[in-house]
Amino acid sequence: MKLSKDTRPNGVTDKETAQLLAEALPWIKNITGKTVVIKYGGAAMVDPELRAAVMADIVLLKTVGVNPVIVHGGGKDISKAMEDAGIPVEFKDGQRVTTDEGMDIVRTILAGKVNQELVRELNEHGNIAVGVNGVDGGTVIAEPVSDELGRVGRIKRINGAFLQDLIAADYIPVIASVAIGNDGGYCNVNADVMAGQIAAATGAAKILFLTDVDGLYLDFDDKGTLVSQLSLEEARELIDGGELSSGMIPKLRSCVTALEGGVPSAYIVNGTIPHAILLELFTLSGVGTAVYTDSEDAVNAVRAVGNFASKLLVNK
């Protein structure tokens, strides 16, 4: 015999859980069948428990009909591997100086270690994830930025058709921020920049940047300056103003890149908050900072969706 319980271990009742699910329905309908790019990094990727939880949330997105695409870096693992190999860790203007020897380590860590760990975590839920880097299908073609930075790349082209094929086949692409160069060599590309351009190339409805902070601060030392929402034009003005912290500029620039490429909205979210992705996509208040296009039509744009999702769009 088993006695009935109306509460879960976290203190939430079954009725409250059902109510939360019911309230999420409009948000689920709005995103089902659409592509969402998730730039994944920071502490949420390093901590094993957080990583497993984030991957489970991404599988939940896939289960309710969203098409997630993950783009990841791995800066902490790269720095450690370089230090272990006796290679100097050097940054200029926020970008890692990457020699040919350093590029071998970047490629090994990103495409070999980190990428496969994420694919493995996702595939514990089923054979649903595929690891990708720039050389696979010519996904990302880049050119070196400068001799000073070495093998750091500037993206020239994204093979969106290849990624669309993976999405159409119901796989979750997990993309390492390694590109193939015009010269046949590999290039180290900023993961935020790559995520923004991939979102534009795949016609994503949204892009989320998971980071270690609660969103965009006008003054990082003043936690009262957290911005909840801003327009594309306001984002451009902040970047041009030159007053943001160096760590926020690449993320905000990548939001702008995605929006200028046709993505209606972008979000900077603290990935260490439990279920941050679900809170952002499926609740009214969300978490973090949202950046929207200036055009209401673009925000409400209907993208190509699957058969069932298209039926949810009637009378709209």
Side-chain angles (χ1 to χ4, degrees), residues 194-246:
M194 183 181 284
Q197 295 202 28
I198 284 175
T202 56
K206 299 177 185 289
I207 179 170
L208 280 68
F209 294 88
L210 298 190
T211 183
D212 296 339
V213 296
D214 290 335
L216 175 69
Y217 290 93
L218 297 178
D219 179 357
F220 189 73
D221 294 326
D222 181 358
K223 300 310 179 188
T225 64
L226 179 65
V227 178
S228 63
Q229 181 177 320
L230 70 163
S231 70
L232 174 58
E233 186 56 37
E234 289 170 331
R236 291 188 184 115
E237 291 173 359
L238 283 176
I239 293 170
D240 293 340
E243 297 179 358
L244 293 177
S245 64
S246 59

Side-chain angles (χ1 to χ4, degrees), residues 301-313:
V302 175
R303 306 239 161 205
V305 295
N307 289 333
F308 175 71
S310 66
K311 293 180 174 60
L312 298 176
L313 300 173

Side-chain angles (χ1 to χ4, degrees), residues 264-285:
S265 55
Y267 306 83
I268 300 173
V269 177
N270 189 339
T272 67
I273 297 174
H275 309 299
I277 295 174
L278 305 183
L279 287 169
E280 186 55 66
L281 294 180
F282 297 149
T283 67
L284 177 61
S285 58

Side-chain angles (χ1 to χ4, degrees), residues 55-70:
M55 293 301 105
D57 286 349
I58 290 172
V59 172
L60 176 58
L61 292 183
K62 186 65 179 174
T63 303
V64 298
V66 180
N67 298 317
V69 175
I70 302 172

Side-chain angles (χ1 to χ4, degrees), residues 80-154:
K80 183 179 184 305
M82 285 186 167
E83 289 170 356
D84 291 345
I87 298 174
V89 176
E90 183 181 0
F91 290 86
K92 289 186 179 179
D93 298 325
Q95 299 186 85
R96 184 188 299 275
V97 176
T98 310
T99 62
D100 290 344
E101 186 181 14
M103 188 65 234
D104 287 339
I105 289 178
V106 169
R107 179 170 56 86
T108 299
I109 294 298
L110 290 183
K113 179 179 182 293
V114 178
N115 188 270
Q116 291 304 295
E117 286 176 349
L118 298 180
V119 170
R120 177 182 56 79
E121 290 271 10
L122 288 167
N123 283 345
E124 286 186 359
H125 301 272
N127 297 320
I128 54 177
V130 176
V132 178
N133 66 72
V135 72
D136 297 320
T139 303
V140 184
I141 308 297
E143 64 180 6
V145 172
S146 67
D147 292 338
E148 190 178 32
L149 290 171
R151 300 302 305 184
V152 172
R154 178 190 297 111

